[in-house]
Amino acid sequence: MKVALLAILGLFLGALGGAALGIGAGLAWVEIAQTTSFEGYSGMLVFFTFIPLGAAIGGVGGALLFGLLAMRDDAIAIERAPAAEPARSQD
């Protein structure tokens, strides 16, 4: 259950981060390729091409990363066991 929840969290966070990177990549593409802005073409290019691609790639990457981290719980402590209480001397 923990693996699935962390994979969903990774999907959500990866999609948000990927969409943000998609905006940056799209704006860079528009400037480098000098895409025309006639009737908002450059904005539509960024909104309908780069944002969905970035969100899809980021979502899959985030889900895989968080899922692998959850499965490797023995190597990377996500849930820590409670610390043992120190032994008390009987006086």
Side-chain angles (χ1 to χ4, degrees):
M1 185 68 161
K2 176 179 60 174
V3 175
L5 290 175
L6 280 172
I8 291 172
L9 177 67
L11 176 72
F12 180 72
L13 292 176
L16 285 177
L21 290 175
I23 291 172
L27 291 176
W29 177 267
V30 167
E31 289 299 319
I32 292 170
Q34 296 180 351
T35 305
T36 181
S37 292
F38 179 70
E39 292 186 355
Y41 177 72
S42 60
M44 288 189 290
L45 176 69
V46 171
F47 188 78
F48 290 118
T49 303
F50 284 94
I51 293 176
L53 282 175
I57 293 169
V60 169
L64 287 174
L65 178 68
F66 275 48
L68 287 175
L69 287 175
M71 286 191 301
R72 294 180 38 150
D73 190 25
D74 56 344
I76 302 168
I78 295 174
E79 292 181 3
R80 296 185 184 264
E85 293 183 20
R88 295 186 215 172
S89 61
Q90 303 258 340
D91 289 328

